[in-house]
Every structure is written in C-alpha cells, then in structure tokens.
C-alpha cells in the first residue's frame, strides 16, 4: 500500500551556496519545503514539496488569534559512509502527535509524516553539513488555518516542514553556558501545556530570557509553578547534574516538564559509562549548596538543538555559583562523544535510534 504520493513542484530556485564554517542555528534554510493541508472531510491531503516561499494566509486565521500551533525539532546527521541518519524520528513524531492532541489538533499518521520528512531530507541532502557538531535541523509545524476569531479548535490545518543546516547552538560544541534561575515568572504548570511543543510556552518565556540576556546570562532555568523551589528545565532544554559519587540526577517528569528525547537518550547511555541515574525532585537551594560544597561536580542542559551544553555558572537571587570552575566537565564531554558517535554512525546504534536514508 502506498502511504501517499507527494507532488514535487519543479520550479526550483538556483542552489544558494553557504559556508559550512559559521552556520549558526536556524539562520539558513534549504531551498525546498514540504506542505499538506487538513480538512474535516478530506483529512490530510495535497502533500507537496515546493520551493521555500512565503505562506499566503488570511489575517483572520485561528493560529494568529487563538494560537493552535505545534512543532518538533529533529536532526539528520551526515555519516561518513554517506548515509543520512535521522535521530529517533518515530519518537519525535509520536511526541508531535501528543502535542497536537493537547492542543486539540489532528494527528498525522506516523508513516505519512515519516515519508514526508525522509523524502524532503533526501531531496535536500546536499545541504547536510558534514562536520561533527553540525546537522540538518528538521522543523515540522502544524497550525490552525480556519478563518475565525472564535476561541475554539480550527477545522482546517496546515502542516509544513522546513530544513535548516545548523552548527552548534551555542557557537562551539560543549561551550559552557550561563544560566539565570527565574524565581518570579514560571514557564509551565502541571495541567497546562508544558509537556507539549507549542509556541505559547516559548512566547511566555521570552520576557525572562531577554532579562537574563541583559544581565549576561545565556539561558533561563525555570522552577516549578507552585512552590517555586523545584528545578524543572530551561526554555527549550532539560537539565542534568552529576555528583561526586558518579550519579546522574535529573528532574522527575511531573506533568509540566517537556519529555526530552535527548534526556531519555542520555538516561539510557549514562549507565554504560558507569553512572547511576536518579530521576527525582531537585530542590534549587540544595542544588546551589551542593555545587558550592562540590558534591555536585557538573551540570548540563540537553536537547536536540545543542545536544549537550555544560552549565558553567548559575545565577540565583542575585548571586553567582560556578560549576566545575566554569568549564565543561569530563562527563559532559564523554556523553557528548558517545551520543554524537552514534548519531554520525561512528558507533553502534545499539538501541535502534537511527532512521537511515
Ligand atoms: C524541545 C524541548 C526540550 C528538549 O527536547 P529534545 O527532544 O531533547 O530536543 C526540552 N524542553 C523544552 C521546553 C523543549 O521545547
């Protein structure tokens, strides 16, 4: 049975050439995109790959007013034997559907979504940067496009996928980041939309992120919405700590933390390098005290964008605390190596994480 026939519109632009030396993150996009529409009657239809071009949408569609939006962030890696490895594709697409469900949006059948991504990546394969630390970032998005100002679910949706060749999120792989811990605003609460990848969560985080940036911090770390005491995550990454007793500790998923796929992957890799893993509530005051007393020896943020970003400095209630002297620690480096070796096809894919094209 064929999953779907994707129409390829052949009005291709000239190939833009870009330097792979300084890609940044989400700065460049490939020439083509995938899109399809959904209506109640026809379900998903009109799948096509066309030039990346402006969307022509009326100003009164649902997403602009009530915000039905979900997305994913996935990476395809170049492998030295010439294969393209997409990391944990099914897991991302299942999460996309869980996000869609939370936002009262239609799901996309996994095989259909997979085919769309694989076909687009294959078409744009020349854009995949080859260096370690670089990848092709895949961004699927779904939005409500029915014209209405009523606060309700749209009946029509647009799904599109764009691709961006990216370098390391924070400039260099493993360059330490500084993190400001917000004690007034919150990102998400249990029962809200924190576990869904939906734009509203990020919109609500920007005020604090800008304030952090103005005070020379790279990122914001969010606490729980009720007691403002337990560590949750960053705006787009989960967080982990390493103790002197070689334990890896990360906040327990609690209904407001986004279930990161990098988080799950590191939890699976950590025992292989001799770490014991604990998922638990982490008290921010205790965490700061244990960094100061060197019981906690490393901290790092993890997510598809940056893979692993060591935290060199936390700012909390007006005071700074350095972690590992402000530099990347050995565990972060080793986990980064082990994970990127699998992604780039240099180590065995023991868990079946890769979709190879
Ligand atoms: C995407 C995201 C993460 C990381 O998830 P990955 O699957 O590892 O990329 C963590 N927290 C938030 C809020 C996110 O949006």
């Amino acid at each position: 049975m064929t999953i779907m026939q994707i129409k390829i519109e052949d009005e291709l632009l000239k190939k833009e050439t870009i330097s792979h030396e300084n890609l940044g993150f989400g700065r460049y996009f490939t020439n083509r995109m995938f899109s399809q529409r959904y209506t109640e009657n026809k379900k998903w239809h009109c799948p096509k790959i066309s030039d990346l071009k402006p969307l022509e949408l009326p100003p009164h569609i649902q997403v602009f007013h009530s915000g039905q939006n979900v997305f994913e962030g996935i990476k395809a890696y170049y492998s030295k034997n010439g294969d393209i490895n997409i990391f944990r594709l099914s897991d991302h697409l299942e999460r996309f559907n869980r996000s869609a469900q939370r936002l009262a949006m239609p799901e996309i059948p996994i095989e259909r979504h997979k085919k769309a991504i694989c076909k687009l990546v294959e078409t744009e394969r020349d854009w995949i940067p080859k260096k370690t630390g670089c990848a092709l970032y895949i961004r699927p998005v779904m939005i409500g496009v029915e014209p209405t100002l009523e606060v309700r679910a749209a009946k029509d949706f647009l799904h599109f996928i764009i691709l961006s060749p990216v370098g390391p999120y924070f400039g260099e792989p493993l360059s330490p980041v500084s993190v400001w811990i917000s004690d007034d605003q919150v990102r998400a609460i249990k029962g809200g939309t924190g576990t869904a990848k939906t734009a509203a969560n990020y919109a609500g985080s920007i005020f604090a992120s800008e304030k952090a940036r103005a005070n020379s911090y790279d990122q914001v770390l969010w606490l729980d919405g009720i007691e403002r005491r337990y560590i949750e995550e960053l705006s787009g990454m989960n967080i982990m700590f390493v103790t002197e007793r070689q334990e890896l500790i990360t906040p327990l998923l609690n209904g407001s933390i986004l279930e990161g796929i990098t988080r799950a992957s590191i939890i699976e890799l950590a025992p292989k390098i001799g770490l014991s893993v604990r998922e638990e509530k982490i008290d921010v005051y205790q965490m700061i005290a244990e960094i100061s007393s060197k019981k906690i020896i490393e901290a790092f943020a993890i997510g598809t964008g940056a893979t692993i970003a060591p935290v060199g400095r936390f700012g909390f209630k007006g005071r700074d605390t350095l972690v590992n002297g402000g530099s990347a620690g050995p565990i972060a480096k080793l986990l980064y190596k082990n994970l990127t070796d699998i992604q780039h096809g240099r180590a065995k894919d023991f868990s079946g994480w890769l979709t190879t094209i």
Side-chain angles (χ1 to χ4, degrees):
M1 195 186 78
T2 56
I3 298 162
M4 64 172 160
Q5 291 297 328
I6 303 175
K7 182 175 171 219
I8 309 233
E9 286 186 350
D10 231 352
E11 40 165 319
L12 293 182
L13 299 170
K14 65 187 181 310
K15 197 143 261 176
E16 196 185 325
T17 54
I18 54 166
S19 153
H20 282 184
E21 277 314 304
N22 194 12
L23 286 172
F25 194 90
R27 202 184 288 165
Y28 301 102
F29 294 88
T30 73
N31 286 338
R32 284 177 266 198
M33 65 187 287
F34 170 90
S35 65
Q36 61 177 339
R37 292 295 287 253
Y38 178 95
T39 55
E40 279 189 326
N41 287 342
K42 291 191 182 167
K43 308 298 175 200
W44 289 109
H45 62 278
C46 278
K48 66 179 183 207
I49 288 174
S50 60
D51 283 352
L52 179 76
K53 57 185 175 214
L55 302 171
E56 282 186 24
L57 293 169
H60 47 307
I61 60 169
Q62 207 273 8
V63 69
F64 294 142
H65 307 277
S66 307
Q68 275 189 309
N69 153 299
V70 293
F71 67 92
E72 263 303 323
I74 309 165
K75 273 180 175 173
Y77 298 86
Y78 186 81
S79 158
K80 71 174 184 320
N81 65 12
D83 287 343
I84 302 162
N85 295 331
I86 306 182
F87 190 64
R88 303 195 70 165
L89 181 56
S90 297
D91 296 304
H92 281 281
L93 300 183
E94 281 163 17
R95 186 171 68 190
F96 183 91
N97 281 346
R98 289 198 299 277
S99 298
Q101 209 174 54
R102 177 64 184 83
L103 274 287
M105 301 168 82
E107 295 187 8
I108 300 173
I110 301 286
E111 288 309 313
R112 185 180 178 97
H113 205 166
K114 255 191 190 168
K115 182 169 178 185
I117 287 175
C118 291
K119 186 77 194 163
L120 182 64
V121 169
E122 205 182 328
T123 311
E124 300 293 73
R125 65 181 300 146
D126 292 348
W127 287 82
I128 305 180
K130 299 195 166 81
K131 252 175 46 182
T132 289
C134 297
L136 188 69
Y137 187 77
I138 304 165
R139 169 56 60 90
V141 180
M142 192 205 310
I143 56 174
V145 295
E146 186 201 350
T148 178
L149 299 187
E150 290 172 20
V151 182
R152 60 164 174 80
K155 293 189 172 68
D156 305 342
F157 295 88
L158 169 68
H159 167 227
F160 62 87
I161 305 166
I162 54 175
L163 304 175
S164 172
V166 297
Y169 194 92
F170 295 107
E172 285 297 316
L174 292 166
S175 49
V177 297
S178 52
V179 170
W180 179 65
I181 304 173
S182 170
D183 61 355
D184 56 347
Q185 298 190 340
V186 297
R187 187 193 87 93
I189 53 158
K190 189 176 174 191
T193 54
T195 58
K197 271 185 125 64
T198 181
N201 295 336
Y202 307 87
S205 77
I206 290 172
F207 183 89
S209 301
E210 290 302 315
K211 199 163 126 192
R213 210 189 309 275
N215 288 295
S216 306
Y217 295 97
D218 300 306
Q219 290 281 312
V220 175
L221 177 66
W222 302 96
L223 301 177
D224 76 280
I226 297 165
E227 296 178 66
R228 312 281 171 91
R229 188 177 184 104
Y230 297 101
I231 290 173
E232 299 227 315
E233 61 174 322
L234 279 64
S235 301
M237 284 187 269
N238 298 110
I239 188 142
M240 292 181 163
F241 301 91
V242 179
T243 70
E244 49 164 11
R245 297 163 60 191
Q246 302 291 297
E247 297 156 311
L248 184 83
I249 306 176
T250 192
L252 184 67
L253 298 176
N254 60 358
S256 52
I257 294 172
L258 189 118
E259 284 178 53
I261 289 165
T262 317
R263 176 186 181 279
S265 308
I266 299 280
I267 287 175
E268 212 173 313
L269 286 175
K272 296 184 194 300
I273 61 162
L275 296 171
S276 60
V277 178
R278 283 183 3 224
E279 295 175 67
E280 62 189 25
K281 278 174 109 169
I282 303 172
D283 181 310
V284 65
Y285 295 94
Q286 194 180 337
M287 183 273 286
I288 295 286
E290 292 190 358
I291 292 172
S292 302
S293 68
K294 307 266 192 297
K295 272 175 88 173
I296 289 175
I297 53 175
E298 288 188 41
F300 41 83
I302 61 228
T304 298
T307 311
I308 297 182
V311 178
R313 175 168 65 103
F314 285 104
F316 184 48
K317 301 223 180 258
R319 283 186 48 196
D320 273 1
T321 306
L322 287 186
V323 193
N324 191 43
S327 50
I331 300 290
K333 287 181 188 165
L334 187 55
L335 287 169
Y336 178 82
K337 180 180 184 304
N338 289 0
L339 186 55
T340 52
D341 277 353
I342 294 172
Q343 291 165 335
H344 287 277
R346 293 186 297 255
K348 190 169 154 42
D349 174 23
F350 60 87
S351 282
W353 284 342
L354 306 179
T355 297
T356 298
I357 300 179

